[in-house]
Amino acid sequence: MKYLLLGLIACLPSVFAAFGVTKSGSNLLVDSGAGLVTTINTANGDITSLNFNGKQLQDSSKFTQLSSGLGSATVTSSVANNIAVVTIKTSTITHYYIVRSGTNTLYIGTFASAEPTVGELRFIARLSKSALPNGIPAAEVNGGTAIEGSDVFLLNGQTRSKFYSSVRFIQDQVHGVTGSGVGVFMIIPGVGYETSSGGPFFRDINNQGSAQQELYWYMNSGHEQTETYRTGFFGPYAMAVTTGSAPSASLDTSFMDSLGLQGYVGASGRGTVSGSYSGTLSGAAVTIGFKNSAAQYWVAGSGGSFTRTSMKPGTYTATLFQGELEAGTGSVTVSAGKTSSLTLTTSLSKPSVIWSIGTVDGTPAGFLNADKIQTIHPSDTRMSNWGPITFTVGSSSASSFPMAQFKAVNNPTTIKWTASSSQIGARTLRIRTTEAFAGGRPQITVNSFTSAAPAAPPTVDSRGVTRGTWRGLNQIYDFAIPSGTLIAGSNTIAINVISGSSGDVFLSPNFVYDSVELF
């Protein structure tokens, strides 16, 4: 019987592995006690090994790290109350890996007093492609040929990019990669994005399948960024290793409140905002966003009310979003341990329209190719023909109207409309856009009248729609149509992209449509 017991123990080493941190040369070995052993280089904080039940998950040539690697750092560790904390410090970064006994999850927090000098502020796990071959298909680029910059590829006749792995912040709680009997997932719990920038609808890279399987969590980047960067404590976030299934997004990080992490604010130091909203378009998703220079938050509205918990103290600008369109604003001050009240009402102009194309919601949803643009390049053969398009009011469907207009591809977009005598006279054509590239904006010609050229939109220094996003800065263009221009009968409206800049094909000046209204 004694020998049988010894044999069973020998067969189950991971079950009885000791939790803790041990030093081995220039490495720290952090053992979860449940099958995951993480090796951290003490010279720079890189993770050089992720051994899960005997299977190596870490790539051997490129490592898991913050930004593009910190170069050099001071690495220390402590163990208390069945919690191991590894602290990695530079002059501007304090980065934490935290492991709880019996849990195969790396809890992570990053304090940054400034943007890193090497790369962007991101966590990137460069994992073994053989152990974890299954990433996000649209982001699998290995063996592809670059067709735009160094980040959009053609592979087996389809366009691929790491940008096509992105998910809006408001939806992105869990994303990961898998292999046979194993999965590695990033978890971003309720306050994970509070120190990032861009708001609830910003999106960033989650995965790239190259020679390595790259798993990301971006904190700050210039990928169509519309806000200045924040600094402070980013997270908490986590990288969970499982036997293949995705973990719950409900990650308990309450134990971190007592760890003394730099810049971390625990539950007792946070407050709540509860309130009501009104005036938004029926059927449109409602989000309430909060931001100041130190933090950002959001919460979905439902039935005219909302409650947002776990906010750091401070005064915030609150925004009522109709879809992704700013519909109203307010201000609220949050205090620790208290609930503040807020009432928001839409201030959107709601003219009585003669006709409209699309929904006023800050997105091109329902337009031609809008259902594909987030995961494939505009040049992809799976896209419907971009045109130029002629749209006939009263008979054409919104799905035939282009979601984006490119100066060198589908210019102009033409609208045909038969007006009655009561519909003519002085009118306004309103065009809402969600994003622009290279100064692209609309100018209209109505029958024989051509409008003045509007001013260029604010510059966002990034490619947008070719990288899978329409989320830039919402703009509104009102064109006054003089009396005598429209006639009772057939009218032609041409919308042209104008810009002082130039570019080729889908990198020519362009903009993304939200809606078009005549009133």
Side-chain angles (χ1 to χ4, degrees):
M1 186 67 184
K2 178 174 73 174
Y3 297 108
L4 177 61
L5 180 60
L6 290 173
L8 287 172
I9 292 173
C11 292
L12 297 171
S14 62
V15 173
F16 297 94
F19 165 77
V21 180
T22 56
K23 182 81 181 293
S24 176
S26 60
N27 296 309
L28 292 179
L29 278 65
V30 186
D31 196 323
S32 71
L36 177 66
V37 179
T38 303
T39 301
I40 299 171
N41 187 316
T42 56
N44 54 30
D46 285 357
I47 293 176
T48 58
S49 173
L50 289 163
N51 192 299
F52 180 60
N53 292 333
K55 178 180 288 189
Q56 182 56 253
L57 307 182
Q58 174 62 52
D59 182 72
S60 60
S61 62
K62 295 184 177 182
F63 302 124
T64 292
Q65 55 197 195
L66 198 66
S67 300
S68 296
L70 297 177
S72 62
T74 301
V75 181
T76 58
S77 67
S78 63
V79 179
N81 301 316
N82 289 318
I83 299 170
V85 180
V86 176
T87 303
I88 302 160
K89 289 183 69 73
T90 71
S91 61
T92 59
I93 299 287
T94 304
H95 187 61
Y96 301 97
Y97 292 122
I98 303 164
V99 175
R100 303 176 76 182
S101 177
T103 302
N104 294 322
T105 296
L106 288 179
Y107 296 83
I108 311 172
T110 305
F111 177 85
S113 61
E115 286 296 300
T117 56
V118 180
E120 299 169 301
L121 190 57
R122 65 182 183 181
F123 173 79
I124 175 171
R126 295 185 176 94
L127 305 172
S128 166
K129 194 69 171 292
S130 59
L132 296 152
N134 307 314
I136 297 169
E140 176 56 63
V141 303
N142 198 33
T145 301
I147 62 167
E148 184 180 300
S150 58
D151 49 35
V152 181
F153 297 84
L154 189 66
L155 179 65
N156 299 327
Q158 296 183 350
T159 53
R160 307 284 184 85
S161 176
K162 58 188 177 183
F163 291 101
Y164 302 151
S165 69
S166 65
V167 178
R168 301 188 311 168
F169 280 0
I170 194 172
Q171 297 170 301
D172 190 17
Q173 282 80 56
V174 177
H175 60 265
V177 296
T178 62
S180 177
V182 65
V184 181
F185 296 88
M186 298 305 302
I187 309 173
I188 306 96
V191 297
Y193 282 113
E194 71 180 1
T195 314
S196 297
S197 299
F201 315 119
F202 188 75
R203 52 200 304 141
D204 221 323
I205 301 163
N206 283 343
N207 171 232
Q208 177 172 253
S210 58
Q212 296 78 37
Q213 190 67 274
E214 300 168 8
L215 183 62
Y216 294 83
W217 186 60
Y218 263 85
M219 287 161 261
N220 278 335
S221 84
H223 305 150
E224 196 71 3
Q225 184 55 258
T226 58
E227 296 181 346
T228 56
Y229 294 150
R230 295 178 176 89
T231 54
F233 185 89
F234 292 82
Y237 55 108
M239 185 170 71
V241 181
T242 75
T243 54
S245 58
S248 169
S250 299
L251 184 71
D252 179 14
T253 59
S254 59
F255 73 96
M256 296 173 71
D257 289 9
S258 60
L259 296 181
L261 308 180
Q262 185 176 3
Y264 180 91
V265 178
S268 63
R270 296 174 178 270
T272 296
V273 176
S274 186
S276 63
Y277 64 89
S278 61
T280 54
L281 185 67
S282 177
V286 172
T287 302
I288 295 85
F290 305 87
K291 67 178 181 179
N292 60 23
S293 61
Q296 61 172 3
Y297 304 95
W298 45 78
V299 66
S302 178
S305 63
F306 63 90
T307 298
R308 170 67 219 204
T309 62
S310 301
M311 295 174 64
K312 291 193 292 189
T315 298
Y316 294 84
T317 297
T319 302
L320 174 64
F321 289 97
Q322 176 175 288
E324 295 185 13
L325 181 65
E326 301 88 344
T329 60
S331 180
V332 65
T333 298
V334 176
S335 300
K338 296 181 179 180
T339 298
S340 302
S341 297
L342 177 65
T343 299
L344 294 170
T345 303
T346 180
S347 58
L348 282 177
S349 169
K350 298 179 182 179
S352 179
V353 301
I354 296 172
W355 52 258
S356 62
I357 307 170
T359 302
V360 180
D361 64 359
T363 82
F367 286 156
L368 180 72
N369 290 324
D371 59 332
K372 306 179 186 74
I373 199 66
Q374 293 171 321
T375 55
I376 62 178
H377 191 268
S379 67
D380 198 292
T381 57
R382 290 170 289 175
M383 287 287 186
S384 298
N385 190 298
W386 284 99
I389 299 295
T390 296
F391 182 94
T392 302
V393 174
S395 61
S396 296
S397 65
S399 62
S400 68
F401 193 87
M403 61 85 59
Q405 192 167 320
F406 305 86
K407 188 175 182 180
V409 176
N410 59 340
N411 207 35
T413 294
T414 302
I415 300 172
K416 297 285 189 179
W417 168 53
T418 300
S420 67
S421 58
S422 63
Q423 295 173 323
I424 61 176
R427 295 292 177 185
T428 298
L429 186 77
R430 173 171 291 170
I431 300 174
R432 292 183 183 270
T433 64
T434 74
E435 177 182 75
F437 175 72
R441 69 269 197 194
Q443 183 181 39
I444 69 168
T445 297
V446 183
N447 295 333
S448 60
F449 165 77
T450 297
S451 71
T459 299
V460 178
D461 186 20
S462 175
R463 287 172 288 147
V465 71
T466 62
R467 281 179 161 182
T469 182
W470 60 63
R471 182 67 281 130
L473 294 169
N474 291 316
Q475 299 292 304
I476 183 170
Y477 299 92
D478 280 352
F479 298 98
I481 302 173
S483 180
T485 301
L486 296 168
I487 63 171
S490 180
N491 295 273
T492 299
I493 301 171
I495 304 173
N496 281 278
V497 180
I498 63 168
S499 173
S501 301
S502 60
D504 296 326
V505 199
F506 293 103
L507 289 180
S508 62
N510 61 70
F511 59 82
V512 175
Y513 284 102
D514 170 4
S515 57
V516 181
E517 300 170 293
L518 183 77
F519 54 92

